[in-house]
Amino acid sequence: MSLVRTIFLQCPPIPHLPTAFSSRGTVSVKFDVSCCCVATPETLVRESVDEKRFQRTEVRLGLPSKGRMATDTLDLLKDCQLSVRQVNPRQYVADIPQIPSLEVWFQRPKDIVRKLVSGDLDLGIVGLDTVKEYGQGNEDLVLVHDALDFGDCRLSLAIPNYGIFEGINSLEELAQMPQWTPEKPLRVATGFTHLGPKFMEENGLKYVKFSTADGALEAAPAMGIADAIVDLVSSGTTLKENNLKEIKGGIILESQAVFVASKRSLIQRKDVLDVTHEMLERLEAHLRAVGQFTVSANMRGSSAEEVAERVLTQPSLSGLQGPTVSPVFRMRDGSVVADYFSVVICVPKKALYKSIQQLRAIGGSGVLIKPLTYIFDEETPRWLELLSTLGL
């Protein structure tokens, strides 16, 4: 309970104050002083964040607003039958008709992470590098799916392949160079001002000075602005074209697109948990099916068991849990017989032709091939992992 005291102070006359307020030459000023238990800043922030979440009835998903990451994200959701409907391309808000309670917000990737932490978003799809850089280890951020199979890159340290760096090919050799002193540290240009310094410190590089930079960092060493850079690398072609090289031990982080959520939102709001479950199931089923094919063939045999035994002698024909073998009925001499069996297996693209050869070798014919769209498990493994992480 708060204790409130009312205090009157006598103050000198205030110039130009109407006489109605100062008939006796003094002004009475009233203060209400309240004494109560003061919450710590951490408690106030947490309560403010939680209040934001409970004030909303919709579930909010943050998606990248522009660039290749945005396009690939929308394509993936479309493949999962979760097409984003944006009435006006200039608007930052959209929806997904298949999940009516879900509200989509297009944001810069770094703002998605920040707004997950602040309670303004519940879910998001961004690069792992963005989560690590702007989340900075915040325990409220939880990875729901850590491999969405696009946006592959690596955060890497790169140095020139000429001058004093010509013979330097590892992080250890870079650290041992006598050139770096407190007065003349290794100058590194980067946009990753959290992960970059953290990596250097963890790997024993003592004399390093970071400068914040965005855009074409590859030009910084040639311009004399920096000795090295820390930046995202995909193929490495741009580095080579600018006479830069990655070095052994210099990869800071392997990154790709991830599905991330606020842990508090998942625990405190069942609707957020339900939406996450549906999205995760769709994502997992589609991604598992990518590059997988259903292969079916007819095969003569005396029984389903005999045909299955023959199929399982071939290493590429085991399928997910094993082959499906069922009788093929046909008319012969006026009677229905089942001397052929249909064999159905699931085969990855890289083993497709080899599987066809093995089917033929054991008597398979009439081979049919169809691409798979979804593979649903009894329960999504990542969902069980998430529940364990949340303690649910």
Side-chain angles (χ1 to χ4, degrees):
M1 179 182 296
S2 299
L3 176 63
V4 180
R5 296 179 59 196
T6 302
I7 301 174
F8 291 87
L9 297 182
Q10 298 298 317
C11 302
I14 301 176
H16 309 295
L17 190 67
T19 56
F21 291 91
S22 183
S23 59
R24 298 184 181 179
T26 61
V27 180
S28 296
V29 183
K30 178 180 178 182
F31 293 91
D32 287 334
V33 180
S34 174
C35 299
C36 61
C37 296
V38 180
T40 65
E42 181 182 356
T43 302
L44 291 173
V45 169
R46 186 185 303 115
E47 289 178 353
S48 175
V49 170
D50 291 343
E51 186 179 353
K52 285 183 179 180
R53 291 192 178 95
F54 283 108
Q55 284 176 345
R56 292 188 281 105
T57 57
E58 75 285 349
V59 179
R60 287 183 177 176
L61 168 69
L63 299 182
S65 57
K66 59 179 66 176
R68 180 65 181 271
M69 180 70 78
T71 302
D72 289 346
T73 300
L74 294 178
D75 288 344
L76 173 63
L77 292 175
K78 184 178 180 181
D79 289 339
C80 297
Q81 303 298 310
L82 293 173
S83 295
V84 176
R85 181 176 61 184
Q86 188 177 16
V87 179
N88 185 339
R90 294 181 180 274
Q91 290 180 337
Y92 292 103
V93 65
D95 66 357
I96 295 178
Q98 289 81 3
I99 308 180
S101 63
L102 184 63
E103 194 174 79
V104 176
W105 285 84
F106 292 102
Q107 301 284 297
R108 294 184 303 176
K110 62 183 179 181
D111 289 335
I112 291 175
V113 177
R114 288 168 174 165
K115 289 177 181 179
L116 282 168
V117 173
S118 69
D120 295 302
L121 291 174
D122 304 301
L123 309 169
I125 294 179
V126 291
L128 179 62
D129 59 286
T130 307
V131 175
K132 297 294 185 181
E133 173 66 20
Y134 296 97
Q136 299 187 9
N138 191 296
E139 294 182 355
D140 189 45
L141 297 176
V142 56
L143 294 182
V144 180
H145 198 301
D146 60 353
L148 296 182
D149 284 355
F150 69 91
D152 293 60
C153 60
R154 57 191 178 274
L155 182 62
S156 199
L157 172 68
I159 62 175
N161 56 17
Y162 52 84
I164 61 173
F165 299 101
E166 188 171 1
I168 304 300
N169 296 299
S170 71
L171 188 64
E172 184 179 2
E173 292 173 348
L174 179 66
Q176 293 175 353
M177 291 179 69
Q179 283 87 347
W180 319 129
T181 65
E183 294 75 25
K184 190 180 179 182
L186 174 70
R187 298 170 303 157
V188 181
T190 187
F192 291 84
T193 55
H194 170 69
L195 291 176
K198 182 172 179 285
F199 175 78
M200 292 297 193
E201 182 179 350
E202 290 174 349
N203 285 275
L205 279 84
K206 298 180 180 179
Y207 309 122
V208 184
K209 180 181 179 181
F210 281 86
S211 60
T212 304
D214 294 316
L217 295 182
E218 293 84 1
M223 295 178 68
I225 299 173
D227 301 304
I229 66 171
V230 167
D231 202 9
L232 294 175
V233 180
S234 295
S235 65
T237 302
T238 305
L239 289 181
K240 292 177 182 177
E241 290 177 348
N242 286 275
N243 295 316
L244 298 176
K245 62 183 177 182
E246 295 177 272
I247 55 178
K248 182 180 178 181
I251 296 178
I252 299 171
L253 177 70
E254 295 282 358
S255 180
Q256 63 175 299
V258 297
F259 182 26
V260 63
S262 161
K263 189 174 182 179
R264 287 199 185 98
S265 289
L266 292 173
I267 293 174
Q268 296 172 354
R269 293 179 57 192
K270 186 177 181 301
D271 52 346
V272 176
L273 195 65
D274 291 341
V275 168
T276 302
H277 189 197
E278 180 174 349
M279 289 189 65
L280 181 58
E281 280 210 309
R282 289 172 179 262
L283 289 167
E284 188 90 324
H286 171 68
L287 292 171
R288 192 177 178 196
V290 171
Q292 297 282 344
F293 292 82
T294 297
V295 178
S296 61
N298 289 336
M299 193 174 300
R300 187 184 291 274
S302 58
S303 68
E305 289 77 12
E306 183 268 326
V307 171
E309 186 176 350
R310 206 189 318 163
V311 171
L312 289 172
T313 62
Q314 305 298 315
S316 296
L317 304 181
S318 59
L320 294 176
Q321 282 86 29
T324 299
V325 182
S326 54
V328 177
F329 297 97
R330 62 192 184 102
M331 294 293 296
R332 189 176 67 185
D333 300 330
S335 300
V336 177
V337 296
D339 53 357
Y340 271 88
F341 292 84
S342 175
V343 177
V344 181
I345 56 174
C346 181
V347 176
K349 185 177 182 179
K350 61 183 179 181
L352 188 58
Y353 186 65
K354 187 175 183 180
S355 299
I356 295 170
Q357 289 178 311
Q358 291 178 358
L359 276 171
R360 287 171 172 169
I362 58 176
S365 62
V367 180
L368 301 177
I369 301 170
K370 295 180 181 179
L372 286 172
T373 305
Y374 302 103
I375 299 176
F376 283 96
D377 282 314
E378 184 176 351
E379 184 55 89
T380 305
R382 280 187 171 86
W383 173 248
L384 300 178
E385 293 175 11
L386 178 62
L387 292 181
S388 176
T389 300
L390 299 176
L392 300 176

